[in-house]
Amino acid sequence: MVEPRFAKGLMMSEFDYDLFVIGGGSGGVRAARVAAATGAKVGLAEEFRMGGTCVIRGCVPKKLMVFSSEYSHAFADARAYGWDVPDGSFDWPKLRAPLHAELERLEGIYRRLLGNSDVTIHDARATVSGAHEVSLSDGATVSAKHILVAVGGRPSVPEFEGSDLAITSNDIFLLDEMPESILVVGGGYIASEFACILNGLGVKTTQFYRGEQILRGFDNEARTLVSEQMIEKGIDLRLGSNVASMKKVDGGVEVTGVDGKVEVFGAVMYATGRRPNTDGLGLEAVGVELGRGGEVVVDDYSQTKVPSIYAVGDVTDRVQLTPVAIREGMAFVETVFKGNPTKVDHELIPSAIFTQPEMGTVGLSEEAAREQEAIEVYATTFKPMQSSFAGRPDKVLMKLVVSQATRVVLGCHIVGPHAGEMIQLAGIAVKMGATKEQFDQTCAVHPTMSEELVTMRDPVRTS
Ligand code: NDP
């Protein structure tokens, strides 16, 4: 039995705040608002812009750029469907201005939500100077019964000769003009998504990934299809490739690969993982344990080694996803301010990778499931009606990984248009522990791509 961290109805204490949140991103803002709704006195410090990575330099501007880049084939498709439209050309400044206006609008909403919740905003950098004390860059020092660290992370570029010439996903949204060509380094979510965005926007795109196949850890069949389709759409994807050194030259950056090949690219974008923003935050000095990558070490309730200090979101390097940070923030408030100890549930988190084609995934990959138990695999690959009619060679994958013993669907993997939307819904069934037979009892919606999820009769593989 876990002891509640906070006695409900605590007398107004000797502290300036009941809760002080460091970081105005998804996790911090949600925790601040929900805690304030319990009657707690809450302060929040943000050194940059309210909204954090997701709103300012991540999910939101990225998705807007995904939408924009998908128009590259929309004109040709429209002609196939009877419309008389010329091929357009892309003008980055025309998108950049409204894109940044939209980010400002969202930032304003975040600010207003905090204000309306009676959270006191400090536009300052905060460092932890004691178990109950925070120092602000404007010279103030505040005390708090609880401190929540929600400072997120930042892109991490390995150090090598010329590595300072690399840009990161943070910089892409701020470019004055799009380069004619770009090298994207990395094979994770960010590298693969940006390779597709930039390719769609007409930038000659090369992607280096050091391993055998991009999107390591995801279902092999699904990531292979994504990578094949990325190549089909024009990305020069080079597996088993990496950069040895870079130098500035006229017209861009000269890159020497580990294979000795020398090439010039207009820009080089590194997306080789993200590091927690704990440098200089004062955490170790007050006894908070940091992991090898600088992440804040927390227990199942997001509590650090210092009982009054908690951490949520990317800074803990558990699962680096906005909805997870929000749920961690809510679980923290439930535990600390509502006397209802709540562990964060990190099982069966659906997620989408906004590559082109998109990938949606929940649960175990075929490979991971096979390691665990005997499985059946139901999968089908086909050309979707919409793009096939327009003469495009796109392919879709619908796949279920099923336990032989319990018939429970252990994993669902979708590659194709709107896979992110589909996996959100399939994720409910998988999270509920639905069996293959329960999928099959659901009537198909016709004609759709996702009807295949309830109509696959025979396994393609068993083991
Ligand atoms: P990832 O950890 O997903 O991928 C990092 C990539 O960089 C891997 O391919 C890795 O290779 C490679 N890499 C690491 N170090 C080096 C190196 N020194 N030289 C060359 N390659 C290297 O990180 P991302 O930056 O792509 O994304 C960070 C997090 O952001 C993700 O984990 C995800 O949770 C989140 N995110 C989620 C999105 C979504 O939900 N759609 C979108 C964007 C981000 P290897 O595989 O060999 O280790």
Side-chain angles (χ1 to χ4, degrees):
M1 178 63 195
V2 181
E3 289 299 315
R5 266 48 168 192
F6 187 92
K8 210 176 171 195
L10 185 87
M11 301 291 289
M12 273 325 263
S13 59
E14 68 273 28
F15 300 108
D16 297 326
Y17 290 109
D18 297 320
L19 171 65
F20 196 88
V21 179
I22 307 180
S26 306
V29 168
R30 179 62 65 93
R33 287 175 49 211
V34 183
T38 68
K41 191 169 180 221
V42 182
L44 181 147
E46 168 57 55
E47 63 176 328
F48 185 52
R49 293 175 64 183
M50 211 59 79
T53 296
C54 174
V55 174
I56 303 299
R57 55 186 109 70
C59 322
V60 173
K62 180 274 305 282
K63 193 82 190 276
L64 292 172
M65 287 181 79
V66 168
F67 291 143
S68 174
S69 65
E70 285 174 342
Y71 280 95
S72 58
H73 54 240
F75 303 102
D77 283 11
R79 282 196 292 275
Y81 278 94
W83 290 87
D84 180 17
V85 283
D87 268 347
S89 65
F90 176 68
D91 183 358
W92 165 233
K94 267 197 187 148
L95 169 64
R96 197 185 50 199
L99 183 145
H100 284 285
E102 175 64 2
L103 304 187
E104 268 171 39
R105 188 183 74 81
L106 294 173
E107 187 184 356
I109 290 175
Y110 266 67
R111 223 167 242 286
R112 272 199 302 285
L113 285 173
L114 285 169
N116 293 344
S117 309
D118 288 329
V119 174
T120 306
I121 298 174
H122 297 263
D123 288 301
R125 175 166 170 80
T127 49
V128 177
S129 42
H132 294 281
E133 189 182 270
V134 173
S135 299
L136 298 167
S137 54
D138 59 13
T141 299
V142 296
S143 61
K145 181 158 179 64
H146 300 282
I147 296 170
L148 181 67
V149 179
V151 294
R154 64 180 187 285
S156 135
V157 178
E159 277 191 25
F160 60 91
E161 190 188 329
S163 59
D164 55 313
L165 297 170
I167 59 172
T168 67
S169 56
N170 287 356
D171 307 306
I172 289 282
F173 310 113
L174 303 171
L175 290 176
D176 287 332
E177 52 190 45
M178 281 287 155
E180 268 183 32
S181 65
I182 194 159
L183 170 64
V184 178
V185 182
Y189 280 78
I190 298 181
S192 304
E193 288 180 347
F194 274 92
C196 293
I197 290 170
L198 293 161
N199 180 57
L201 296 180
V203 180
K204 189 172 179 305
T205 304
T206 304
Q207 182 179 359
F208 279 10
Y209 173 53
R210 64 184 178 181
E212 284 177 13
Q213 187 54 274
I214 58 168
L215 299 172
R216 182 167 62 82
F218 291 98
D219 185 86
N220 266 341
E221 196 175 5
R223 66 194 180 120
T224 302
L225 182 60
V226 170
S227 122
E228 285 169 2
Q229 298 274 296
M230 283 169 61
I231 294 166
E232 172 73 44
K233 287 178 195 296
I235 296 170
D236 182 1
L237 172 60
R238 302 202 208 148
L239 302 173
S241 295
N242 212 342
V243 174
S245 65
M246 306 200 295
K247 71 174 181 194
K248 181 97 192 88
V249 291
D250 274 352
V253 181
E254 184 184 278
V255 173
T256 304
V258 286
D259 57 0
K261 194 171 171 193
V262 179
E263 290 163 275
V264 176
F265 298 94
V268 179
M269 178 187 142
Y270 261 72
T272 45
R274 295 175 59 85
R275 265 184 67 82
N277 272 333
T278 46
D279 293 355
L281 210 58
L283 290 169
E284 279 179 303
V286 301
V288 172
E289 185 186 349
L290 299 185
R292 283 177 57 189
E295 73 278 12
V296 179
V297 176
V298 290
D299 67 10
D300 290 344
Y301 300 89
S302 300
Q303 191 175 30
T304 72
K305 286 270 157 39
V306 178
S308 57
I309 303 180
Y310 289 73
V312 295
D314 287 5
V315 75
T316 63
D317 197 17
R318 287 177 283 185
V319 181
Q320 295 182 35
L321 296 173
T322 288
V324 175
I326 289 172
R327 293 174 76 90
E328 288 170 357
M330 309 257 282
F332 155 76
V333 173
E334 202 61 35
T335 302
V336 176
F337 289 94
K338 297 189 182 175
N340 174 28
T342 303
K343 289 186 186 183
V344 186
D345 179 4
H346 288 119
E347 293 299 314
L348 292 171
I349 296 170
S351 76
I353 302 138
F354 295 99
T355 40
Q356 294 166 36
E358 226 167 272
M359 176 160 133
T361 180
V362 62
L364 297 177
S365 66
E366 178 179 342
E367 298 69 39
R370 187 170 288 122
E371 296 248 305
Q372 177 182 290
E373 60 184 284
I375 55 166
E376 284 181 355
V377 177
Y378 296 80
T380 176
T381 309
F382 57 95
K383 289 187 169 185
M385 185 197 270
Q386 187 177 4
S387 55
S388 168
F389 181 81
R392 275 197 280 129
D394 295 4
K395 279 194 193 143
V396 162
L397 169 73
M398 296 283 162
K399 178 167 179 176
L400 296 176
V401 180
V402 177
S403 161
Q404 280 193 26
T406 64
R407 307 298 300 153
V408 164
V409 176
L410 303 171
C412 174
H413 311 283
I414 302 174
V415 176
H418 311 297
E421 303 290 347
M422 289 187 253
I423 205 67
Q424 177 67 83
L425 302 179
I428 299 171
V430 174
K431 183 75 179 166
M432 289 174 73
T435 60
K436 174 71 171 70
E437 283 62 37
Q438 286 169 324
F439 269 67
D440 294 347
Q441 282 158 17
T442 308
C443 188
V445 178
H446 185 73
T448 63
M449 293 177 287
S450 50
E451 66 181 301
E452 299 293 334
L453 288 177
V454 297
T455 55
M456 292 186 286
R457 293 287 162 248
D458 299 312
V460 291
R461 286 181 288 282
T462 52
S463 64

